[in-house]
Amino acid sequence: QELVRIGLPAGEGAPAAWMGVPLLSSDEVIGCLAVFTDSPQHSFLPGDLDLFVTLSGQVGLAIANTLLHEQLQRRVSQLEALNQFTMNITESLDAEHVLSQVCQYVTQVGSGRRTAIYILDLETGRVELAHACGLSSDFIAANRTFPYAQDNRTQCLRTGRPDLLPDTQING
């Protein structure tokens, strides 16, 4: 109970002493470096804290560099996938092939499992399903076409801006 009161996680045994310092990267806190001891005979001294502060600067820099490297690697992979995708769709004049490639790419890059491409038909005022990946035949049949002004599904078409619904269970 005392650990929770002072903001420390409860564990198997209560630590006798604790020392923590922020991990900084470019004047931004990215984490915390903490050390615990469960020995009542050991306590941390001001010199320990000074050493820990110095160490945390190096650790923070190393972590920030690692995170940056991982971010760059992800971007390189995304750019490679985009390049391959662009080559695949520009070498074909077959609309079905291009739509299939777009669905596959969007699913891969967006880490999704289902994709649909809808085309707006301004003459009829309807939105029509052009291609789908991973969707059930029942969903496709029920959503093959719908009025442009029907519901929230056409929000991005009406506003010309991207639309994000992060959780359909909460927001849908």
Side-chain angles (χ1 to χ4, degrees):
Q1 292 171 349
E2 181 63 18
L3 293 176
V4 173
R5 187 189 69 74
I6 62 174
L8 295 176
E12 296 173 9
W18 175 88
M19 182 172 49
V21 294
L23 293 173
L24 302 173
S25 170
S26 302
D27 297 329
E28 178 182 63
V29 177
I30 63 169
C32 174
L33 184 60
V35 63
F36 304 82
T37 180
D38 56 2
S39 171
Q41 292 83 19
H42 185 270
S43 62
F44 298 111
L45 303 171
D48 296 327
L49 183 59
D50 292 340
L51 178 62
F52 217 48
V53 167
T54 301
L55 179 63
S56 73
Q58 299 302 313
V59 171
L61 182 60
I63 290 172
N65 286 340
T66 300
L67 294 174
L68 181 59
H69 182 321
E70 289 175 358
Q71 182 183 37
L72 288 172
Q73 290 300 102
R74 278 193 305 274
R75 299 226 182 204
V76 165
S77 295
Q78 290 171 343
L79 288 172
E80 287 173 352
L82 178 60
N83 186 42
Q84 185 63 46
F85 163 72
T86 302
M87 287 176 22
N88 287 343
I89 65 169
T90 56
E91 66 187 21
S92 175
L93 296 176
D94 177 26
E96 188 62 29
H97 174 75
V98 170
L99 293 173
S100 173
Q101 291 293 309
V102 169
C103 276
Q104 289 176 17
Y105 177 76
V106 168
T107 301
Q108 175 189 356
V109 170
S111 301
R113 295 185 305 160
R114 298 175 187 91
T115 306
I117 298 174
Y118 287 94
I119 304 293
L120 174 60
D121 184 341
L122 290 173
E123 289 181 19
T124 65
R126 298 192 63 80
V127 179
E128 298 181 12
L129 181 64
H131 194 84
C133 292
L135 296 169
S136 71
S137 56
D138 290 341
F139 179 90
I140 291 171
N143 295 279
R144 184 166 303 283
T145 183
F146 51 87
Y148 168 66
Q150 182 183 21
D151 58 27
N152 289 337
R153 291 186 289 180
T154 59
Q155 178 78 12
C156 64
L157 295 173
R158 288 192 306 274
T159 64
R161 291 188 318 260
D163 192 22
L164 171 65
L165 187 60
D167 189 338
T168 59
Q169 299 300 314
I170 294 171
N171 302 312

